[in-house]
Amino acid sequence: MAGDLKVLNALDVAKTQWYHFTAIIIAGMGFFTDAYDLFCISLVTKLLGRIYYHVDGAAKPGTLPPNVSAAVNGVAFCGTLSGQLFFGWLGDKMGRKRVYGMTLMLMVICSIASGLSFGHEPKAVMSTLCFFRFWLGFGIGGDYPLSATIMSEYANKKTRGAFIAAVFAMQGFGILAGGIFAIIISTSFKARFDAPAYEANALASTVPQADFVWRIILMVGALPAALTYYWRMKMPETARYTALVAKNAKQAASDMSKVLQVEIEAENQKVEHITQSESGSFGLFSKQFLHRHGLHLLGTTTTWFLLDIAFYSQNLFQKDIFSAIGWIPPAKTMNALEEVYRIARAQTLIALCSTVPGYWFTVAFIDRMGRFAIQLMGFFFMTVFMFALAIPYDHWTHRDNRIGFVIIYSLTFFFANFGPNATTFVVPAEIFPARLRSTCHGISAAAGKLGAIVGAFGFLYLAQNKDKAKADAGYPAGIGVKNSLIVLGVVNLLGLLFTFLVPESKGKSLEEMSGENEGDDNVAASQDNRTVPVV
């Protein structure tokens, strides 16, 4: 029984120590980089349009055509989805530590390369950018299952949820850092290279030096990843992988003796017995996995998919909100660098007021309230607030009522982060067997990224005005923002219902949740009775 292994028991009951915080920082800096790299593109897309798609004599500044905009924004999501599946599987085959280093180097190289380009023609620049952002996303995708799995396998039972959530919460700081850095760079360039507004002088409003701004913002994403590479390589492989997957009890005991600073006995015979037992050897596509964890995997994939549809479709009304409260004036009244500054300031304020606090509320309460309660509460309030925006949508469009709209919008964001956006990341790292943990987390995360693609792009088209003449340039008619918000409310409601498929893992060991601490006698007895225990 895996639960009897002294090395795993020592990890489960260990007091919170310095190595826990070291693991959070090392794994969390990967997520910090992920968020910076994924979200910084939204700060510079308007600038890219002004630089490369300027039309002489046009009333408004140049913008990226719909197909180019979709490619630039979406290609990293496609790469992330692929990386989550591939590196999740590889993490169970080669070990968490070895694969962790690969993903980090990929992120460093592609962050730098995405700020470079072949030639100065729009097609060449956008093609280069999309190519390297796909591979950047591929590396980021690997960080999801590996960071979550490493943190869950290092943590103790009592505070495991908070530690995994803290790794994910670094995403909030990554978004914040992207906004702050863009503010600093745009302000510096604006002070040095002042320019008139677009309506005053269209050509002079975008100074040639603005081309460096977007490149610097994208390339700086390589720094935090590069800084943590050495420390990632110094971390020992997790004891659960070494003992239960690599079947090396001596190495697991030796590694954790150094980490925990206690003497731990190597139990070769026990490890051999566990890994050869039926409960310790079934594969992902076996009937036994389907019986034990099939509903769990359905629960983690569907809830993450539905959550990300709602979470990433926020750009439906973000631009309306920013314009309504005066954070972003009409594009023609600003020069290119001023627009970057305004967009970055708006994203920073949203991150500061609702995104970051939501993440850390989850860290504070997840081991008290439990994952199930937080996820259910989050989906419930997201549903309520989405319908509160949708049903009286005409009321919110009046200028006097826009502040109320902003408050409800911020609360939707807050309860996404103090809710399913964090718990969908935590739970898949806790409820599956060690030899399939990274793979199953990767599958769940990839389902989420598929939801992100649907949310970010499906609803971009869906939310267009019903009248084709009033739709954005290049887009067909849609169902309108009001009906899109109603659809998103239904999506959140479905997320709430699918949450009931996900088990509560608060205070339980990983082996208890995955069924790895069940002996062969239990399994044999359950099979004689034609039932299989569901943990």
Side-chain angles (χ1 to χ4, degrees):
M1 288 167 58
D4 290 340
L5 280 177
K6 289 176 183 173
V7 66
L8 304 189
N9 268 326
L11 282 165
D12 280 338
V13 300
K15 289 181 179 176
T16 301
Q17 297 173 42
W18 178 243
Y19 84 87
H20 285 122
F21 295 108
T22 307
I24 289 170
I25 291 164
I26 294 168
M29 282 311 286
F31 256 85
F32 176 95
T33 309
D34 296 350
Y36 181 99
D37 288 336
L38 279 178
F39 289 92
C40 70
I41 194 68
S42 64
L43 301 171
V44 298
T45 46
K46 296 273 190 188
L47 179 61
L48 289 169
R50 282 187 183 239
I51 296 169
Y52 295 106
Y53 291 91
H54 170 74
V55 178
D56 287 331
K60 293 180 181 178
T63 56
L64 297 179
N67 59 332
V68 176
S69 178
V72 167
N73 286 293
V75 74
F77 287 153
C78 297
T80 305
L81 190 156
S82 311
Q84 285 162 338
L85 292 171
F86 176 73
F87 286 117
W89 167 79
L90 204 62
D92 284 333
K93 294 295 175 193
M94 291 176 60
R96 291 49 162 135
K97 179 186 170 181
R98 286 172 70 189
V99 180
Y100 215 25
M102 291 181 207
T103 63
L104 205 62
M105 285 314 297
L106 194 57
M107 285 157 61
V108 170
I109 293 164
C110 293
S111 284
I112 294 167
S114 61
L116 305 172
S117 61
F118 304 122
H120 295 283
E121 291 301 311
K123 195 171 182 181
V125 174
M126 294 303 142
S127 300
T128 308
L129 179 61
C130 289
F131 177 80
F132 285 113
R133 279 193 66 80
F134 175 85
W135 291 108
L136 173 66
F138 194 69
I140 288 170
D143 225 38
Y144 276 73
L146 293 164
S147 292
T149 302
I150 285 171
M151 198 64 243
S152 74
E153 293 182 346
Y154 261 105
N156 59 41
K157 284 195 292 189
K158 192 176 176 185
T159 55
R160 186 179 62 236
F163 287 162
I164 304 171
V167 168
F168 192 63
M170 292 297 282
Q171 203 176 55
F173 288 129
I175 296 168
L176 202 56
I180 291 169
F181 184 71
I183 287 170
I184 293 167
I185 288 293
S186 58
T187 305
S188 305
F189 272 74
K190 195 153 62 81
R192 179 74 181 80
F193 308 104
D194 198 18
Y198 182 86
E199 58 188 358
N201 187 333
L203 207 56
S205 69
T206 305
V207 294
Q209 292 80 5
D211 196 47
F212 293 116
V213 172
W214 71 268
R215 296 176 190 276
I216 293 168
I217 289 170
L218 295 188
M219 291 166 85
V220 161
L223 276 178
L227 291 171
T228 53
Y229 183 79
Y230 171 76
W231 296 108
R232 276 198 185 191
M233 293 300 93
K234 290 274 286 182
M235 279 178 87
E237 182 57 88
T238 70
R240 285 180 162 94
Y241 181 85
T242 308
L244 300 177
V245 186
K247 306 174 188 177
N248 190 338
K250 188 177 177 183
Q251 187 65 49
S254 169
D255 288 344
M256 291 308 108
S257 293
K258 289 175 193 170
V259 168
L260 297 170
Q261 298 179 329
V262 292
E263 198 61 41
I264 300 172
E265 180 190 341
E267 300 166 291
N268 292 311
Q269 284 186 321
K270 275 189 185 177
V271 166
E272 202 172 319
H273 176 68
I274 293 159
T275 54
Q276 287 178 355
S277 69
E278 198 173 343
S279 63
S281 60
F282 61 82
L284 181 65
F285 299 106
S286 64
K287 282 186 178 179
Q288 199 164 352
F289 178 87
L290 188 65
H291 281 304
R292 284 169 172 260
H293 299 292
L295 284 177
H296 297 166
L297 189 58
L298 178 65
T300 57
T301 50
T302 49
T303 51
W304 207 335
F305 173 76
L306 293 163
L307 172 274
D308 273 8
I309 289 177
F311 191 73
Y312 282 90
S313 61
Q314 48 158 309
N315 60 10
L316 272 180
F317 36 87
Q318 199 156 358
K319 64 179 187 293
D320 298 333
I321 287 170
F322 293 161
S323 301
I325 57 182
W327 284 354
I328 301 180
K332 65 181 180 179
T333 64
M334 300 179 282
N335 63 42
L337 295 172
E338 172 73 16
E339 190 172 34
V340 173
Y341 166 76
R342 295 276 189 160
I343 292 167
R345 190 181 68 168
Q347 181 169 304
T348 304
L349 285 166
I350 287 287
L352 208 55
C353 297
S354 59
T355 308
V356 173
Y359 282 126
W360 290 98
F361 263 76
T362 302
V363 174
F365 291 105
I366 193 166
D367 287 310
R368 297 182 200 176
M369 293 172 62
R371 291 76 164 137
F372 180 80
I374 286 178
Q375 187 161 311
L376 210 62
M377 174 194 73
F379 270 127
F380 173 76
F381 282 113
M382 285 171 73
T383 306
V384 168
F385 292 130
M386 202 61 84
F387 282 132
L389 291 174
I391 295 166
Y393 182 72
D394 295 334
H395 166 80
W396 298 122
T397 56
H398 295 110
R399 199 160 196 84
D400 296 345
N401 305 323
R402 291 288 178 90
I403 297 301
F405 187 88
V406 173
I407 291 168
I408 295 176
Y409 168 78
S410 297
L411 284 170
T412 309
F413 228 104
F414 175 80
F415 280 105
N417 293 315
F418 181 32
N421 195 35
T423 54
T424 51
F425 177 79
V426 173
V427 174
E430 300 182 306
I431 63 176
F432 299 108
R435 65 191 175 282
L436 301 170
R437 186 168 290 134
S438 180
T439 304
C440 290
H441 195 284
I443 292 168
S444 304
K449 216 39 84 189
L450 187 62
I453 293 166
V454 172
F457 303 107
F459 278 87
L460 197 61
Y461 284 86
L462 209 61
Q464 294 299 323
N465 199 293
K466 293 176 187 177
D467 181 357
K468 172 88 169 68
K470 293 180 182 177
D472 291 345
Y475 289 90
I479 61 170
V481 174
K482 178 176 180 172
N483 291 333
S484 296
L485 290 172
I486 291 171
V487 172
L488 289 172
V490 173
V491 165
N492 287 325
L493 187 60
L494 287 171
L496 185 147
L497 296 174
F498 277 105
T499 296
F500 287 94
L501 296 177
V502 182
E504 178 57 74
S505 49
K506 182 180 80 168
K508 296 175 182 175
S509 75
L510 296 178
E511 289 68 43
E512 193 180 343
M513 287 307 303
S514 64
E516 287 167 296
N517 64 355
E518 293 175 3
D520 280 338
D521 294 340
N522 290 351
V523 176
S526 68
Q527 286 173 338
D528 289 342
N529 294 328
R530 297 187 183 278
T531 59
V532 179
V534 176
V535 182

